[in-house]
Short mmCIF file of all heavy atoms in Angstrom, two decimals:
data_model
loop_
_atom_site.label_atom_id
_atom_site.label_comp_id
_atom_site.label_asym_id
_atom_site.label_seq_id
_atom_site.Cartn_x
_atom_site.Cartn_y
_atom_site.Cartn_z
N PHE G 383 0.71 2.64 3.96
CA PHE G 383 0.22 2.79 2.61
C PHE G 383 -0.42 1.47 2.14
O PHE G 383 0.07 0.37 2.41
CB PHE G 383 1.36 3.12 1.63
CG PHE G 383 1.91 4.50 1.78
CD1 PHE G 383 2.95 4.79 2.66
CD2 PHE G 383 1.38 5.53 1.02
CE1 PHE G 383 3.47 6.05 2.75
CE2 PHE G 383 1.87 6.84 1.15
CZ PHE G 383 2.93 7.11 2.01
N ASP G 384 -1.51 1.59 1.46
CA ASP G 384 -2.15 0.46 0.75
C ASP G 384 -2.00 0.76 -0.74
O ASP G 384 -2.79 1.48 -1.30
CB ASP G 384 -3.62 0.36 1.14
CG ASP G 384 -4.29 -0.87 0.57
OD1 ASP G 384 -3.59 -1.64 -0.13
OD2 ASP G 384 -5.49 -1.06 0.81
N GLY G 385 -0.94 0.18 -1.33
CA GLY G 385 -0.60 0.56 -2.70
C GLY G 385 -0.15 2.03 -2.70
O GLY G 385 0.71 2.44 -1.93
N SER G 386 -0.78 2.84 -3.50
CA SER G 386 -0.41 4.27 -3.56
C SER G 386 -1.09 5.10 -2.53
O SER G 386 -0.67 6.23 -2.24
CB SER G 386 -0.75 4.83 -4.97
OG SER G 386 -2.16 4.84 -5.15
N ALA G 387 -2.15 4.59 -1.92
CA ALA G 387 -2.98 5.38 -1.00
C ALA G 387 -2.44 5.35 0.41
O ALA G 387 -2.14 4.29 0.97
CB ALA G 387 -4.43 4.87 -1.01
N LEU G 388 -2.31 6.54 1.04
CA LEU G 388 -1.93 6.64 2.44
C LEU G 388 -3.17 6.37 3.26
O LEU G 388 -4.17 7.09 3.19
CB LEU G 388 -1.38 8.02 2.75
CG LEU G 388 -1.01 8.26 4.19
CD1 LEU G 388 0.10 7.33 4.64
CD2 LEU G 388 -0.59 9.75 4.42
N ARG G 389 -3.15 5.29 4.06
CA ARG G 389 -4.30 4.92 4.88
C ARG G 389 -4.26 5.54 6.25
O ARG G 389 -5.27 6.07 6.72
CB ARG G 389 -4.38 3.38 4.99
CG ARG G 389 -4.73 2.68 3.71
CD ARG G 389 -6.07 3.13 3.19
NE ARG G 389 -6.36 2.62 1.87
CZ ARG G 389 -7.08 3.25 0.97
NH1 ARG G 389 -7.55 4.47 1.25
NH2 ARG G 389 -7.33 2.71 -0.20
N THR G 390 -3.11 5.45 6.92
CA THR G 390 -2.99 6.08 8.25
C THR G 390 -1.59 6.69 8.40
O THR G 390 -0.65 6.25 7.75
CB THR G 390 -3.19 5.06 9.38
OG1 THR G 390 -2.15 4.07 9.35
CG2 THR G 390 -4.55 4.36 9.25
N ALA G 391 -1.52 7.70 9.26
CA ALA G 391 -0.25 8.33 9.59
C ALA G 391 -0.33 8.84 11.01
O ALA G 391 -1.36 9.41 11.40
CB ALA G 391 0.09 9.46 8.61
N THR G 392 0.73 8.63 11.77
CA THR G 392 0.83 9.16 13.12
C THR G 392 2.20 9.82 13.29
O THR G 392 3.23 9.17 13.03
CB THR G 392 0.64 8.07 14.16
OG1 THR G 392 -0.64 7.45 14.00
CG2 THR G 392 0.74 8.65 15.58
N ILE G 393 2.23 11.05 13.74
CA ILE G 393 3.48 11.79 13.97
C ILE G 393 3.40 12.39 15.37
O ILE G 393 2.41 13.03 15.73
CB ILE G 393 3.67 12.93 12.96
CG1 ILE G 393 3.56 12.39 11.52
CG2 ILE G 393 5.01 13.61 13.14
CD1 ILE G 393 3.50 13.50 10.47
N ARG G 394 4.47 12.16 16.17
CA ARG G 394 4.53 12.68 17.52
C ARG G 394 5.62 13.77 17.56
O ARG G 394 6.77 13.47 17.89
CB ARG G 394 4.80 11.57 18.51
CG ARG G 394 3.68 10.53 18.60
CD ARG G 394 4.03 9.38 19.50
NE ARG G 394 2.88 8.48 19.69
CZ ARG G 394 2.56 7.49 18.89
NH1 ARG G 394 3.29 7.29 17.79
NH2 ARG G 394 1.50 6.74 19.12
N LEU G 395 5.23 14.96 17.20
CA LEU G 395 6.22 16.05 17.14
C LEU G 395 6.71 16.42 18.56
O LEU G 395 5.92 16.48 19.51
CB LEU G 395 5.60 17.28 16.50
CG LEU G 395 5.26 17.18 15.00
CD1 LEU G 395 4.49 18.43 14.56
CD2 LEU G 395 6.49 16.97 14.18
N GLN G 396 7.98 16.66 18.67
CA GLN G 396 8.60 17.15 19.92
C GLN G 396 9.57 18.26 19.58
O GLN G 396 10.16 18.30 18.51
CB GLN G 396 9.32 16.02 20.63
CG GLN G 396 8.42 15.00 21.25
CD GLN G 396 9.24 13.89 21.92
OE1 GLN G 396 9.81 13.03 21.27
NE2 GLN G 396 9.28 13.92 23.25
N LYS G 397 9.75 19.14 20.53
CA LYS G 397 10.71 20.24 20.38
C LYS G 397 11.64 20.21 21.55
O LYS G 397 11.25 19.93 22.70
CB LYS G 397 9.94 21.59 20.31
CG LYS G 397 10.76 22.79 19.96
CD LYS G 397 9.85 24.00 19.80
CE LYS G 397 10.66 25.24 19.40
NZ LYS G 397 9.78 26.42 19.17
N PHE G 398 12.92 20.49 21.32
CA PHE G 398 13.92 20.41 22.37
C PHE G 398 14.76 21.69 22.41
O PHE G 398 14.91 22.38 21.40
CB PHE G 398 14.83 19.20 22.12
CG PHE G 398 14.12 17.91 21.95
CD1 PHE G 398 13.93 17.37 20.69
CD2 PHE G 398 13.65 17.20 23.06
CE1 PHE G 398 13.25 16.17 20.53
CE2 PHE G 398 12.98 16.01 22.90
CZ PHE G 398 12.78 15.49 21.63
N GLN G 399 15.32 21.95 23.60
CA GLN G 399 16.25 23.05 23.79
C GLN G 399 17.45 22.56 24.58
O GLN G 399 17.27 21.79 25.56
CB GLN G 399 15.58 24.19 24.55
CG GLN G 399 14.50 24.94 23.76
CD GLN G 399 13.86 26.04 24.58
OE1 GLN G 399 14.04 26.10 25.79
NE2 GLN G 399 13.13 26.91 23.89
N PRO G 400 18.65 22.93 24.20
CA PRO G 400 19.82 22.57 25.03
C PRO G 400 19.72 23.19 26.41
O PRO G 400 19.32 24.36 26.53
CB PRO G 400 20.97 23.15 24.22
CG PRO G 400 20.46 23.36 22.82
CD PRO G 400 19.01 23.69 23.03
N THR G 401 20.10 22.45 27.41
CA THR G 401 20.05 23.00 28.79
C THR G 401 21.28 23.81 29.10
O THR G 401 21.30 24.53 30.10
CB THR G 401 19.98 21.84 29.76
OG1 THR G 401 21.15 21.01 29.64
CG2 THR G 401 18.73 20.99 29.54
N GLY G 402 22.31 23.70 28.26
CA GLY G 402 23.59 24.36 28.55
C GLY G 402 24.63 23.35 29.02
O GLY G 402 25.84 23.64 28.96
N GLY G 403 24.18 22.19 29.53
CA GLY G 403 25.11 21.16 29.96
C GLY G 403 25.38 20.19 28.83
O GLY G 403 24.62 20.08 27.86
N LYS G 404 26.49 19.44 28.96
CA LYS G 404 26.86 18.43 27.97
C LYS G 404 27.23 17.14 28.65
O LYS G 404 27.62 17.14 29.84
CB LYS G 404 28.03 18.94 27.11
CG LYS G 404 27.65 19.99 26.09
CD LYS G 404 28.72 20.19 25.05
CE LYS G 404 28.27 21.12 23.94
NZ LYS G 404 29.30 21.24 22.86
N ARG G 405 27.11 16.04 27.91
CA ARG G 405 27.53 14.74 28.36
C ARG G 405 28.43 14.10 27.32
O ARG G 405 28.14 14.13 26.12
CB ARG G 405 26.31 13.82 28.57
CG ARG G 405 25.43 14.21 29.73
CD ARG G 405 26.03 13.89 31.06
NE ARG G 405 25.15 14.30 32.15
CZ ARG G 405 24.20 13.55 32.68
NH1 ARG G 405 24.01 12.32 32.22
NH2 ARG G 405 23.45 13.98 33.67
N THR G 406 29.53 13.55 27.79
CA THR G 406 30.42 12.79 26.89
C THR G 406 29.97 11.35 26.87
O THR G 406 29.92 10.68 27.92
CB THR G 406 31.88 12.91 27.37
OG1 THR G 406 32.28 14.30 27.36
CG2 THR G 406 32.79 12.11 26.44
N VAL G 407 29.63 10.86 25.68
CA VAL G 407 29.18 9.50 25.53
C VAL G 407 30.34 8.54 25.66
O VAL G 407 31.48 8.85 25.25
CB VAL G 407 28.49 9.32 24.14
CG1 VAL G 407 28.09 7.87 23.90
CG2 VAL G 407 27.32 10.25 24.04
N MET G 408 30.08 7.39 26.32
CA MET G 408 31.14 6.40 26.49
C MET G 408 31.82 6.05 25.17
O MET G 408 31.13 5.77 24.19
CB MET G 408 30.54 5.09 27.09
CG MET G 408 31.57 3.98 27.25
SD MET G 408 30.81 2.40 27.72
CE MET G 408 30.17 2.79 29.35
N PRO G 409 33.13 6.14 25.09
CA PRO G 409 33.84 5.83 23.85
C PRO G 409 33.50 4.41 23.37
O PRO G 409 33.32 3.49 24.18
CB PRO G 409 35.31 5.99 24.22
CG PRO G 409 35.30 6.92 25.40
CD PRO G 409 34.06 6.59 26.14
N ALA G 410 33.50 4.23 22.03
CA ALA G 410 33.18 2.94 21.46
C ALA G 410 34.18 1.86 21.87
O ALA G 410 33.81 0.69 22.09
CB ALA G 410 33.11 3.03 19.93
N LYS G 411 35.47 2.22 22.04
CA LYS G 411 36.45 1.22 22.46
C LYS G 411 36.14 0.66 23.83
O LYS G 411 36.20 -0.52 24.05
CB LYS G 411 37.85 1.87 22.48
CG LYS G 411 38.54 1.94 21.12
CD LYS G 411 39.96 2.41 21.27
CE LYS G 411 40.66 2.45 19.92
NZ LYS G 411 42.08 2.88 20.03
N GLN G 412 35.74 1.56 24.73
CA GLN G 412 35.41 1.13 26.09
C GLN G 412 34.13 0.30 26.08
O GLN G 412 34.05 -0.73 26.77
CB GLN G 412 35.22 2.34 27.00
CG GLN G 412 34.97 2.01 28.44
CD GLN G 412 34.87 3.27 29.29
OE1 GLN G 412 35.23 4.37 28.87
NE2 GLN G 412 34.30 3.13 30.51
N ALA G 413 33.16 0.73 25.29
CA ALA G 413 31.88 -0.02 25.20
C ALA G 413 32.12 -1.41 24.58
O ALA G 413 31.53 -2.41 24.96
CB ALA G 413 30.86 0.76 24.40
N ALA G 414 32.98 -1.45 23.53
CA ALA G 414 33.28 -2.73 22.86
C ALA G 414 33.95 -3.69 23.81
O ALA G 414 33.69 -4.89 23.80
CB ALA G 414 34.14 -2.49 21.63
N ALA G 415 34.82 -3.17 24.67
CA ALA G 415 35.55 -4.03 25.62
C ALA G 415 34.59 -4.63 26.64
O ALA G 415 34.83 -5.74 27.16
CB ALA G 415 36.61 -3.21 26.33
N GLY G 416 33.46 -3.96 26.90
CA GLY G 416 32.50 -4.47 27.87
C GLY G 416 31.34 -5.22 27.27
O GLY G 416 30.43 -5.64 27.99
N ALA G 417 31.36 -5.43 25.96
CA ALA G 417 30.27 -6.12 25.31
C ALA G 417 30.33 -7.63 25.54
O ALA G 417 31.40 -8.21 25.65
CB ALA G 417 30.28 -5.83 23.81
N SER G 418 29.14 -8.25 25.60
CA SER G 418 29.06 -9.70 25.74
C SER G 418 28.79 -10.30 24.37
O SER G 418 28.68 -9.62 23.37
CB SER G 418 27.96 -10.06 26.74
OG SER G 418 26.69 -9.68 26.24
N GLY G 419 28.61 -11.62 24.34
CA GLY G 419 28.41 -12.29 23.05
C GLY G 419 27.13 -11.83 22.33
O GLY G 419 27.11 -11.78 21.10
N ALA G 420 26.07 -11.51 23.09
CA ALA G 420 24.82 -11.12 22.42
C ALA G 420 24.74 -9.66 22.08
O ALA G 420 23.92 -9.26 21.27
CB ALA G 420 23.62 -11.50 23.34
N GLU G 421 25.58 -8.86 22.70
CA GLU G 421 25.56 -7.41 22.50
C GLU G 421 26.51 -7.06 21.40
O GLU G 421 27.65 -6.69 21.67
CB GLU G 421 25.87 -6.70 23.82
CG GLU G 421 24.84 -6.95 24.92
CD GLU G 421 25.29 -6.50 26.27
OE1 GLU G 421 26.51 -6.35 26.47
OE2 GLU G 421 24.42 -6.27 27.13
N ARG G 422 26.07 -7.14 20.16
CA ARG G 422 26.97 -7.05 19.03
C ARG G 422 27.06 -5.63 18.43
O ARG G 422 28.03 -5.27 17.79
CB ARG G 422 26.57 -8.03 17.92
CG ARG G 422 26.50 -9.47 18.39
CD ARG G 422 27.84 -10.02 18.93
NE ARG G 422 28.91 -9.82 17.98
CZ ARG G 422 29.15 -10.62 16.92
NH1 ARG G 422 28.34 -11.62 16.67
NH2 ARG G 422 30.19 -10.39 16.16
N GLY G 423 26.03 -4.81 18.63
CA GLY G 423 26.00 -3.48 18.02
C GLY G 423 26.06 -2.39 19.07
O GLY G 423 25.72 -2.59 20.23
N LEU G 424 26.54 -1.23 18.64
CA LEU G 424 26.60 -0.04 19.52
C LEU G 424 25.86 1.15 18.92
O LEU G 424 25.86 1.30 17.68
CB LEU G 424 28.07 0.36 19.76
CG LEU G 424 29.02 -0.69 20.32
CD1 LEU G 424 30.45 -0.13 20.40
CD2 LEU G 424 28.56 -1.13 21.71
N MET G 425 25.27 1.96 19.77
CA MET G 425 24.46 3.05 19.24
C MET G 425 24.48 4.21 20.27
O MET G 425 24.33 4.00 21.47
CB MET G 425 23.01 2.61 19.04
CG MET G 425 22.03 3.68 18.63
SD MET G 425 20.34 3.01 18.56
CE MET G 425 19.44 4.43 17.93
N ALA G 426 24.64 5.42 19.79
CA ALA G 426 24.50 6.61 20.60
C ALA G 426 23.12 7.21 20.35
O ALA G 426 22.68 7.32 19.23
CB ALA G 426 25.58 7.63 20.26
N ALA G 427 22.44 7.57 21.47
CA ALA G 427 21.09 8.09 21.30
C ALA G 427 20.66 8.84 22.56
O ALA G 427 21.30 8.72 23.61
CB ALA G 427 20.07 6.95 21.01
N TYR G 428 19.58 9.64 22.41
CA TYR G 428 18.99 10.34 23.55
C TYR G 428 17.85 9.49 24.12
O TYR G 428 17.07 8.91 23.41
CB TYR G 428 18.43 11.68 23.10
CG TYR G 428 19.43 12.78 22.87
CD1 TYR G 428 19.92 13.05 21.62
CD2 TYR G 428 19.90 13.56 23.94
CE1 TYR G 428 20.85 14.06 21.41
CE2 TYR G 428 20.82 14.58 23.76
CZ TYR G 428 21.29 14.82 22.48
OH TYR G 428 22.20 15.83 22.28
N ARG G 429 17.78 9.48 25.47
CA ARG G 429 16.66 8.87 26.19
C ARG G 429 16.17 9.84 27.27
O ARG G 429 16.96 10.59 27.87
CB ARG G 429 17.10 7.55 26.86
CG ARG G 429 17.24 6.41 25.93
CD ARG G 429 15.95 5.68 25.69
NE ARG G 429 16.16 4.37 25.11
CZ ARG G 429 15.15 3.63 24.66
NH1 ARG G 429 13.92 4.07 24.73
NH2 ARG G 429 15.38 2.44 24.14
N ALA G 430 14.85 9.77 27.57
CA ALA G 430 14.31 10.60 28.63
C ALA G 430 14.84 10.13 29.98
O ALA G 430 14.85 8.94 30.28
CB ALA G 430 12.77 10.50 28.60
N GLN G 431 15.23 11.10 30.82
CA GLN G 431 15.75 10.80 32.12
C GLN G 431 15.55 12.01 33.04
O GLN G 431 16.14 13.08 32.79
CB GLN G 431 17.26 10.44 32.04
CG GLN G 431 17.92 10.12 33.36
CD GLN G 431 19.39 9.80 33.20
OE1 GLN G 431 19.79 9.09 32.27
NE2 GLN G 431 20.21 10.34 34.10
N ASP G 432 14.72 11.84 34.06
CA ASP G 432 14.47 12.89 35.04
C ASP G 432 14.06 14.21 34.39
O ASP G 432 14.54 15.31 34.70
CB ASP G 432 15.72 13.15 35.90
CG ASP G 432 16.14 11.91 36.68
OD1 ASP G 432 15.25 11.13 37.07
OD2 ASP G 432 17.35 11.74 36.90
N GLY G 433 13.11 14.10 33.43
CA GLY G 433 12.59 15.28 32.78
C GLY G 433 13.47 15.89 31.71
O GLY G 433 13.10 16.94 31.12
N GLN G 434 14.59 15.29 31.43
CA GLN G 434 15.48 15.73 30.36
C GLN G 434 15.77 14.62 29.40
O GLN G 434 15.40 13.45 29.63
CB GLN G 434 16.80 16.24 30.98
CG GLN G 434 16.65 17.43 31.90
CD GLN G 434 17.99 17.86 32.49
OE1 GLN G 434 18.87 17.04 32.73
NE2 GLN G 434 18.13 19.16 32.72
#
Side-chain angles (χ1 to χ4, degrees):
F383 288 90
D384 185 1
S386 66
L388 178 62
R389 292 299 173 211
T390 65
T392 301
I393 306 171
R394 296 175 173 85
L395 293 174
Q396 289 178 284
K397 188 174 182 178
F398 306 100
Q399 291 178 347
T401 62
K404 286 194 172 184
R405 291 286 179 88
T406 299
V407 176
M408 178 189 294
K411 279 187 178 181
Q412 185 178 344
S418 66
E421 297 168 339
R422 304 300 307 281
L424 303 176
M425 175 185 184
Y428 283 97
R429 284 275 196 189
Q431 179 180 318
D432 299 328
Q434 298 179 327

